[in-house]
Amino acid sequence: MDFPNSICYLNGEWLPLAQAKVSVLDRGFIFGDGIYEVVPVYYRQPFRFEQHLARFERSAREIGLANPLDRAGWRAVVDGLVSRLGEEHQFVYWQVTRGVAKRDFAFPPHATPTVFAMTSAFVRPSREQREGGLAAVTRADERWLRCDIKSVSLLGAVLARQYAAEQGADEVVQFRDGFLTEGSSSNVWAVRGGTVIAPPRDRLILEGIRYGLITELCAKLGIPFEARRLSQAEVAGADELMLTSATREVLPIVRLDGQPVGSGRPGPVYAKLRAGYDQAIEALRR
Ligand code: PDD
Protein backbone atom coordinates (compact mmCIF):
# COMPACT_ATOMS: atom_id res chain seq x y z
CA MET A 1 0.00 0.00 0.00
CA ASP A 2 1.03 3.57 -0.65
CA PHE A 3 1.71 5.48 2.53
CA PRO A 4 1.51 9.23 2.59
CA ASN A 5 4.98 10.57 3.08
CA SER A 6 4.35 11.94 6.53
CA ILE A 7 5.65 11.68 10.05
CA CYS A 8 3.56 10.14 12.77
CA TYR A 9 3.82 9.83 16.52
CA LEU A 10 3.91 6.42 18.17
CA ASN A 11 4.54 5.91 21.89
CA GLY A 12 6.81 8.91 22.27
CA GLU A 13 8.65 8.59 18.96
CA TRP A 14 8.39 10.54 15.72
CA LEU A 15 8.75 8.33 12.67
CA PRO A 16 7.60 7.95 9.05
CA LEU A 17 4.13 6.43 8.85
CA ALA A 18 5.43 3.48 6.84
CA GLN A 19 7.79 2.56 9.68
CA ALA A 20 5.27 2.74 12.51
CA LYS A 21 4.53 -0.77 13.77
CA VAL A 22 2.23 -2.07 16.49
CA SER A 23 2.08 -5.57 17.97
CA VAL A 24 -0.58 -7.98 16.68
CA LEU A 25 -1.56 -8.41 20.32
CA ASP A 26 -2.47 -4.76 20.65
CA ARG A 27 -6.00 -4.64 22.04
CA GLY A 28 -6.91 -2.12 19.38
CA PHE A 29 -6.15 -4.75 16.74
CA ILE A 30 -7.68 -7.67 18.65
CA PHE A 31 -10.76 -6.08 20.27
CA GLY A 32 -11.12 -2.55 18.90
CA ASP A 33 -10.45 -1.61 22.55
CA GLY A 34 -9.54 2.04 22.20
CA ILE A 35 -10.71 5.57 21.56
CA TYR A 36 -9.82 8.30 19.09
CA GLU A 37 -10.22 11.89 17.95
CA VAL A 38 -10.18 13.68 14.60
CA VAL A 39 -9.24 17.36 14.86
CA PRO A 40 -9.35 19.71 11.89
CA VAL A 41 -6.47 22.17 11.61
CA TYR A 42 -6.84 25.44 9.72
CA TYR A 43 -3.99 27.86 9.12
CA ARG A 44 -1.89 25.38 11.13
CA GLN A 45 -4.05 25.81 14.21
CA PRO A 46 -6.27 23.12 15.66
CA PHE A 47 -9.91 24.19 15.53
CA ARG A 48 -11.87 23.82 18.80
CA PHE A 49 -8.99 21.92 20.31
CA GLU A 50 -10.11 22.26 23.94
CA GLN A 51 -13.47 20.74 23.06
CA HIS A 52 -11.81 17.80 21.29
CA LEU A 53 -9.56 17.24 24.31
CA ALA A 54 -12.52 17.36 26.68
CA ARG A 55 -14.39 14.80 24.57
CA PHE A 56 -11.34 12.56 24.47
CA GLU A 57 -10.98 12.76 28.25
CA ARG A 58 -14.62 11.81 28.58
CA SER A 59 -14.26 8.83 26.21
CA ALA A 60 -11.24 7.68 28.24
CA ARG A 61 -13.21 7.91 31.49
CA GLU A 62 -16.17 6.06 30.03
CA ILE A 63 -14.02 3.07 29.02
CA GLY A 64 -11.88 3.08 32.17
CA LEU A 65 -8.66 4.03 30.38
CA ALA A 66 -6.08 6.29 32.00
CA ASN A 67 -5.38 9.13 29.56
CA PRO A 68 -1.64 8.74 28.95
CA LEU A 69 -1.01 12.42 28.15
CA ASP A 70 -2.13 15.63 29.81
CA ARG A 71 -3.48 18.56 27.81
CA ALA A 72 -0.05 20.09 27.29
CA GLY A 73 1.20 16.68 26.14
CA TRP A 74 -1.54 16.33 23.53
CA ARG A 75 -0.96 19.88 22.38
CA ALA A 76 2.74 19.10 21.87
CA VAL A 77 1.89 15.98 19.83
CA VAL A 78 -0.55 17.88 17.62
CA ASP A 79 1.75 20.88 17.17
CA GLY A 80 4.63 18.51 16.41
CA LEU A 81 2.68 16.79 13.66
CA VAL A 82 1.30 20.00 12.19
CA SER A 83 4.68 21.71 11.98
CA ARG A 84 6.35 18.62 10.50
CA LEU A 85 3.77 18.26 7.70
CA GLY A 86 3.63 22.00 7.21
CA GLU A 87 0.39 22.09 5.19
CA GLU A 88 -1.91 25.01 5.90
CA HIS A 89 -5.00 22.85 6.50
CA GLN A 90 -4.69 19.39 8.00
CA PHE A 91 -6.64 16.91 10.00
CA VAL A 92 -5.00 15.20 12.90
CA TYR A 93 -6.08 11.72 13.92
CA TRP A 94 -5.07 10.23 17.24
CA GLN A 95 -5.98 7.09 19.08
CA VAL A 96 -5.15 5.37 22.31
CA THR A 97 -5.72 1.66 22.86
CA ARG A 98 -5.53 -0.32 26.07
CA GLY A 99 -2.16 -1.63 24.95
CA VAL A 100 -0.51 -4.98 24.24
CA ALA A 101 -1.49 -8.01 26.31
CA LYS A 102 -2.30 -11.72 26.08
CA ARG A 103 -5.76 -12.07 24.52
CA ASP A 104 -8.25 -11.89 27.38
CA PHE A 105 -11.47 -9.89 27.32
CA ALA A 106 -11.10 -8.34 30.79
CA PHE A 107 -8.75 -5.37 31.17
CA PRO A 108 -5.08 -6.42 31.42
CA PRO A 109 -3.70 -5.38 34.81
CA HIS A 110 -0.34 -4.07 33.58
CA ALA A 111 -0.63 -3.05 29.92
CA THR A 112 0.72 0.31 28.80
CA PRO A 113 -1.67 2.19 26.50
CA THR A 114 -0.58 2.48 22.87
CA VAL A 115 -0.55 6.12 21.75
CA PHE A 116 -0.66 6.84 18.04
CA ALA A 117 -1.20 10.09 16.12
CA MET A 118 -0.90 11.12 12.48
CA THR A 119 -1.84 14.04 10.29
CA SER A 120 -2.88 14.46 6.66
CA ALA A 121 -3.39 17.38 4.34
CA PHE A 122 -7.03 18.43 4.66
CA VAL A 123 -8.81 18.84 1.37
CA ARG A 124 -11.80 20.87 2.48
CA PRO A 125 -15.25 20.04 1.05
CA SER A 126 -15.38 21.00 -2.62
CA ARG A 127 -17.40 23.80 -4.09
CA GLU A 128 -19.53 21.15 -5.75
CA GLN A 129 -20.34 19.58 -2.38
CA ARG A 130 -20.98 22.93 -0.74
CA GLU A 131 -23.17 24.28 -3.52
CA GLY A 132 -24.62 21.08 -4.94
CA GLY A 133 -25.11 19.14 -1.72
CA LEU A 134 -24.89 15.46 -0.87
CA ALA A 135 -27.07 12.40 -1.40
CA ALA A 136 -27.93 10.21 1.59
CA VAL A 137 -29.87 7.01 2.17
CA THR A 138 -31.81 5.99 5.27
CA ARG A 139 -30.96 2.88 7.23
CA ALA A 140 -31.81 1.23 10.56
CA ASP A 141 -29.16 2.04 13.16
CA GLU A 142 -27.57 -1.29 14.02
CA ARG A 143 -24.73 0.03 16.16
CA TRP A 144 -24.29 -0.54 19.91
CA LEU A 145 -25.89 1.52 22.68
CA ARG A 146 -22.85 3.66 23.60
CA CYS A 147 -22.45 5.73 20.47
CA ASP A 148 -21.51 8.66 22.75
CA ILE A 149 -18.04 7.11 23.17
CA LYS A 150 -15.64 7.87 20.33
CA SER A 151 -14.45 4.28 20.11
CA VAL A 152 -12.22 2.69 17.46
CA SER A 153 -14.69 -0.25 17.40
CA LEU A 154 -16.22 1.05 14.17
CA LEU A 155 -17.61 -2.00 12.40
CA GLY A 156 -21.17 -0.66 12.66
CA ALA A 157 -20.09 2.59 11.03
CA VAL A 158 -18.10 0.75 8.36
CA LEU A 159 -21.10 -1.39 7.37
CA ALA A 160 -23.39 1.64 7.35
CA ARG A 161 -21.07 3.71 5.16
CA GLN A 162 -20.52 0.78 2.80
CA TYR A 163 -24.30 0.49 2.43
CA ALA A 164 -24.39 4.14 1.33
CA ALA A 165 -21.43 3.67 -1.01
CA GLU A 166 -23.09 0.72 -2.72
CA GLN A 167 -26.06 2.92 -3.50
CA GLY A 168 -23.93 5.75 -4.81
CA ALA A 169 -24.77 7.90 -1.77
CA ASP A 170 -22.41 9.99 0.34
CA GLU A 171 -23.74 9.09 3.78
CA VAL A 172 -26.41 7.16 5.65
CA VAL A 173 -29.04 8.78 7.84
CA GLN A 174 -29.71 6.26 10.61
CA PHE A 175 -32.87 5.65 12.62
CA ARG A 176 -33.25 3.69 15.84
CA ASP A 177 -36.79 2.58 16.62
CA GLY A 178 -38.00 5.03 13.98
CA PHE A 179 -36.16 8.07 15.35
CA LEU A 180 -33.18 9.90 13.85
CA THR A 181 -29.79 9.19 15.36
CA GLU A 182 -26.93 10.29 13.06
CA GLY A 183 -24.80 9.44 10.04
CA SER A 184 -22.06 6.81 9.93
CA SER A 185 -19.49 9.45 10.86
CA SER A 186 -21.43 12.70 11.09
CA ASN A 187 -24.23 14.40 13.00
CA VAL A 188 -27.44 15.03 11.08
CA TRP A 189 -29.64 18.13 11.32
CA ALA A 190 -33.13 18.86 10.03
CA VAL A 191 -34.69 22.26 9.38
CA ARG A 192 -38.47 22.53 9.70
CA GLY A 193 -40.31 25.85 9.55
CA GLY A 194 -37.07 27.77 10.08
CA THR A 195 -36.08 25.80 13.22
CA VAL A 196 -32.93 23.70 13.30
CA ILE A 197 -33.67 20.37 14.98
CA ALA A 198 -31.19 17.71 16.09
CA PRO A 199 -31.49 14.56 18.20
CA PRO A 200 -30.73 15.07 21.90
CA ARG A 201 -27.17 14.50 23.10
CA ASP A 202 -27.65 11.09 24.68
CA ARG A 203 -25.93 7.72 24.43
CA LEU A 204 -27.35 7.03 20.97
CA ILE A 205 -25.23 9.60 19.16
CA LEU A 206 -21.72 10.95 19.29
CA GLU A 207 -21.81 14.55 20.41
CA GLY A 208 -19.85 16.06 17.57
CA ILE A 209 -17.65 19.03 18.33
CA ARG A 210 -19.67 20.65 15.56
CA TYR A 211 -22.86 19.91 17.49
CA GLY A 212 -21.81 22.57 19.99
CA LEU A 213 -20.61 24.88 17.24
CA ILE A 214 -23.88 24.70 15.28
CA THR A 215 -25.95 25.42 18.40
CA GLU A 216 -23.71 28.42 19.13
CA LEU A 217 -24.07 29.66 15.55
CA CYS A 218 -27.87 29.27 15.75
CA ALA A 219 -27.92 31.39 18.92
CA LYS A 220 -25.65 34.01 17.36
CA LEU A 221 -27.59 34.17 14.09
CA GLY A 222 -31.03 34.15 15.71
CA ILE A 223 -31.99 30.76 14.26
CA PRO A 224 -34.28 28.80 16.61
CA PHE A 225 -32.77 25.47 17.72
CA GLU A 226 -34.45 22.46 19.28
CA ALA A 227 -32.93 19.19 20.51
CA ARG A 228 -35.62 16.53 20.32
CA ARG A 229 -36.45 13.17 18.85
CA LEU A 230 -37.28 13.33 15.14
CA SER A 231 -39.39 10.69 13.42
CA GLN A 232 -38.43 9.28 10.06
CA ALA A 233 -41.46 11.03 8.51
CA GLU A 234 -40.32 14.40 9.92
CA VAL A 235 -36.85 13.89 8.49
CA ALA A 236 -38.19 12.83 5.09
CA GLY A 237 -40.47 15.89 5.02
CA ALA A 238 -37.89 18.40 6.31
CA ASP A 239 -37.32 21.69 4.47
CA GLU A 240 -33.56 21.15 4.74
CA LEU A 241 -31.17 18.46 5.96
CA MET A 242 -27.52 18.94 6.82
CA LEU A 243 -24.66 16.96 8.21
CA THR A 244 -21.62 18.03 10.18
CA SER A 245 -18.25 16.47 10.96
CA ALA A 246 -14.63 17.46 11.40
CA THR A 247 -13.81 16.54 7.82
CA ARG A 248 -17.08 17.46 6.10
CA GLU A 249 -17.59 20.67 8.11
CA VAL A 250 -21.25 21.51 7.43
CA LEU A 251 -22.82 20.26 4.19
CA PRO A 252 -26.37 20.12 2.87
CA ILE A 253 -28.10 16.81 2.13
CA VAL A 254 -30.26 17.49 -0.91
CA ARG A 255 -31.43 13.96 -1.75
CA LEU A 256 -32.67 11.32 0.66
CA ASP A 257 -33.40 7.84 -0.70
CA GLY A 258 -33.42 9.33 -4.18
CA GLN A 259 -36.06 11.97 -3.36
CA PRO A 260 -35.32 15.70 -3.20
CA VAL A 261 -35.09 17.21 0.29
CA GLY A 262 -37.27 20.36 0.37
CA SER A 263 -36.51 22.27 -2.82
CA GLY A 264 -33.78 19.79 -3.72
CA ARG A 265 -31.22 22.60 -3.40
CA PRO A 266 -29.12 23.76 -0.43
CA GLY A 267 -31.44 25.91 1.67
CA PRO A 268 -31.26 29.35 3.31
CA VAL A 269 -30.59 28.06 6.85
CA TYR A 270 -27.68 25.99 5.56
CA ALA A 271 -26.32 29.07 3.78
CA LYS A 272 -26.30 31.07 7.02
CA LEU A 273 -24.67 28.30 9.04
CA ARG A 274 -22.13 27.67 6.30
CA ALA A 275 -21.18 31.35 6.33
CA GLY A 276 -20.91 31.28 10.13
CA TYR A 277 -18.72 28.19 9.99
CA ASP A 278 -16.42 29.76 7.40
CA GLN A 279 -16.18 32.88 9.54
CA ALA A 280 -15.15 30.82 12.58
CA ILE A 281 -12.39 29.21 10.47
CA GLU A 282 -11.21 32.53 9.06
CA ALA A 283 -10.84 33.85 12.61
CA LEU A 284 -7.88 31.44 12.92
CA ARG A 285 -6.00 33.15 10.06
CA ARG A 286 -3.17 35.24 11.39
N1 PDD B 1 -16.35 11.31 12.84
N2 PDD B 1 -21.06 11.12 14.78
C1 PDD B 1 -20.19 10.14 14.48
C2 PDD B 1 -20.64 8.73 14.61
C3 PDD B 1 -18.89 10.46 14.07
O1 PDD B 1 -18.01 9.49 13.81
C4 PDD B 1 -18.51 11.83 13.93
C5 PDD B 1 -17.14 12.26 13.50
C6 PDD B 1 -19.47 12.82 14.25
C7 PDD B 1 -19.16 14.29 14.17
O2 PDD B 1 -18.27 14.69 15.19
P1 PDD B 1 -17.26 15.93 14.98
O3 PDD B 1 -18.11 17.12 14.69
O4 PDD B 1 -16.57 16.04 16.29
O5 PDD B 1 -16.35 15.53 13.86
C8 PDD B 1 -20.73 12.42 14.68
C9 PDD B 1 -14.99 11.60 12.49
C10 PDD B 1 -14.82 12.76 11.59
C11 PDD B 1 -14.32 10.33 11.97
O6 PDD B 1 -14.57 9.30 12.57
O7 PDD B 1 -13.54 10.39 11.02
Side-chain angles (χ1 to χ4, degrees):
M1 118 163 225
D2 253 4
F3 277 92
N5 179 28
S6 65
I7 296 289
C8 69
Y9 174 93
L10 181 63
N11 298 326
E13 277 189 86
W14 300 95
L15 68 178
L17 205 45
Q19 283 172 30
K21 298 277 189 286
V22 178
S23 164
V24 292
L25 284 179
D26 191 278
R27 289 176 63 96
F29 183 62
I30 295 282
F31 294 123
D33 183 4
I35 49 175
Y36 75 108
E37 275 300 322
V38 179
V39 184
V41 172
Y42 299 100
Y43 304 109
R44 295 184 196 86
Q45 293 184 72
F47 184 50
R48 301 227 138 195
F49 190 56
E50 293 296 311
Q51 289 91 332
H52 280 280
L53 278 175
R55 183 173 66 184
F56 184 74
E57 288 164 0
R58 179 179 178 281
S59 292
R61 263 195 322 275
E62 293 296 317
I63 72 157
L65 180 72
N67 185 353
L69 298 178
D70 61 15
R71 289 193 167 198
W74 282 114
R75 180 79 205 202
V77 168
V78 170
D79 287 348
L81 288 169
V82 169
S83 63
R84 281 169 171 87
L85 187 67
E87 296 277 340
E88 191 168 54
H89 306 323
Q90 307 181 25
F91 65 93
V92 172
Y93 172 94
W94 84 68
Q95 74 168 54
V96 177
T97 73
R98 214 179 299 274
V100 178
K102 181 172 154 287
R103 185 177 183 276
D104 183 353
F105 284 82
F107 296 177
H110 304 299
T112 307
T114 301
V115 183
F116 170 65
M118 63 181 168
T119 190
S120 311
F122 181 14
V123 181
R124 294 187 54 196
S126 64
R127 195 168 154 181
E128 193 190 332
Q129 289 173 318
R130 291 163 59 123
E131 294 175 8
L134 304 180
V137 285
T138 58
R139 188 171 196 254
D141 192 337
E142 295 178 344
R143 301 171 304 161
W144 70 332
L145 296 172
R146 291 307 307 272
C147 295
D148 57 316
I149 300 170
K150 202 160 171 62
S151 158
V152 298
S153 303
L154 286 171
L155 190 54
V158 166
L159 296 179
R161 177 63 72 80
Q162 179 60 20
Y163 174 82
E166 284 169 7
Q167 299 191 54
D170 303 291
E171 180 58 299
V172 285
V173 174
Q174 300 180 100
F175 294 86
R176 198 185 286 271
D177 303 326
F179 292 97
L180 174 67
T181 54
E182 60 184 341
S184 68
S185 58
S186 56
N187 289 119
V188 175
W189 310 77
V191 181
R192 291 179 62 90
T195 298
V196 171
I197 312 166
R201 298 172 237 210
D202 58 17
R203 291 182 168 196
L204 299 182
I205 66 165
L206 181 78
E207 182 179 339
I209 300 311
R210 269 129 291 278
Y211 192 119
L213 177 57
I214 292 293
T215 59
E216 283 171 32
L217 288 174
C218 283
K220 187 171 146 195
L221 301 168
I223 302 168
F225 169 74
E226 257 179 62
R228 66 166 172 86
R229 304 213 306 166
L230 270 159
S231 71
Q232 191 150 351
E234 285 181 293
V235 171
D239 303 322
E240 298 181 40
L241 291 179
M242 296 174 278
L243 60 74
T244 56
S245 82
T247 46
R248 287 173 148 177
E249 302 179 341
V250 52
L251 288 175
I253 297 171
V254 297
R255 294 190 80 77
L256 188 65
D257 292 332
Q259 299 299 314
V261 175
S263 68
R265 302 281 313 149
V269 175
Y270 161 72
K272 283 190 202 164
L273 291 170
R274 167 86 255 170
Y277 199 105
D278 285 340
Q279 220 174 42
I281 291 170
E282 288 313 308
L284 294 177
R285 195 200 276 267
R286 285 203 177 127

